[in-house]
Amino acid sequence: MKRTRADSASSAVKAMIDAAKGEIEPPAHVTLRERDLPFWAGIVRARARDEWSDADLVVAAQLAKCQSDIEVEQTALDGETTVVTNERGTACVNPRVSVLEQYARREMDLMRTLRMGGRVAGDSRDEVGRRKVQRGAEKARKELEEEDLLAS
């Protein structure tokens, strides 16, 4: 399937249609916790809607959960110290540090799977343009929604 150029009229129309659909929802067979949703929203906004496959959305949900768990563990560690004393009175590394390291490795693995955080697959200039058009369309949709609220 041939992809249209990001600066074409058909890409602009497609971006407006996608923006009118609203935010991308997690797949029905994936359960996200309430605390995962802000991470989900940030992840799916990183790409244009038509760049997400069904399989990618499942991995995006896993990434959202992972980032949420990192935040919970980091908040807990912020209230503790990185060096603790065990039952024998010996100083050792707080176990939360290891948990955070495991979560960080998982986060990077999931981001690599989604090809996020690095170079975009394909022509990066086209992907950047497509994402710019998508964000502009989403901004226009939000402005129209706000006008509808003010007109009511």
Side-chain angles (χ1 to χ4, degrees):
M1 181 174 83
K2 186 179 177 200
R3 293 191 78 123
T4 57
R5 288 179 44 103
D7 60 353
S8 70
S10 60
S11 285
V13 170
K14 173 87 171 95
M16 287 302 290
I17 290 169
D18 286 346
K21 292 177 183 175
E23 297 290 324
I24 298 173
E25 295 295 323
H29 60 283
V30 173
T31 304
L32 289 178
R33 303 163 294 198
E34 189 68 31
R35 72 175 201 223
D36 304 333
L37 295 177
F39 297 97
W40 166 263
I43 292 163
V44 296
R45 278 195 304 261
R47 293 184 182 174
R49 182 184 276 277
D50 65 347
E51 292 180 60
W52 289 104
S53 71
D54 292 341
D56 285 347
L57 291 174
V58 172
V59 177
Q62 293 169 349
L63 178 57
K65 285 181 179 182
C66 182
Q67 289 179 339
S68 176
D69 291 340
I70 288 171
E71 187 64 24
V72 168
E73 289 299 322
Q74 184 62 59
T75 299
L77 183 60
D78 289 345
E80 302 171 2
T81 60
T82 56
V83 177
V84 295
T85 305
N86 65 18
E87 298 108 21
R88 294 178 290 195
T90 306
C92 60
V93 175
N94 187 326
R96 286 192 199 282
V97 173
S98 296
V99 171
L100 279 166
E101 288 173 357
Q102 289 173 350
Y103 279 142
R105 281 193 296 277
R106 183 162 194 257
E107 178 186 33
M108 294 311 300
D109 288 344
L110 292 167
M111 289 181 77
R112 267 192 301 277
T113 300
L114 292 171
R115 299 173 316 279
M116 298 177 92
R119 193 179 160 282
V120 177
D123 186 352
S124 62
R125 293 169 299 180
D126 193 45
E127 297 302 323
V128 168
R130 188 179 328 282
R131 291 174 186 174
K132 185 177 179 181
V133 169
Q134 178 77 27
R135 287 189 188 99
E138 289 170 359
K139 181 179 177 191
R141 178 184 53 86
K142 287 178 183 175
E143 289 172 357
L144 289 171
E145 286 174 351
E146 289 173 4
E147 286 180 20
D148 285 346
L149 291 175
L150 294 175
S152 299

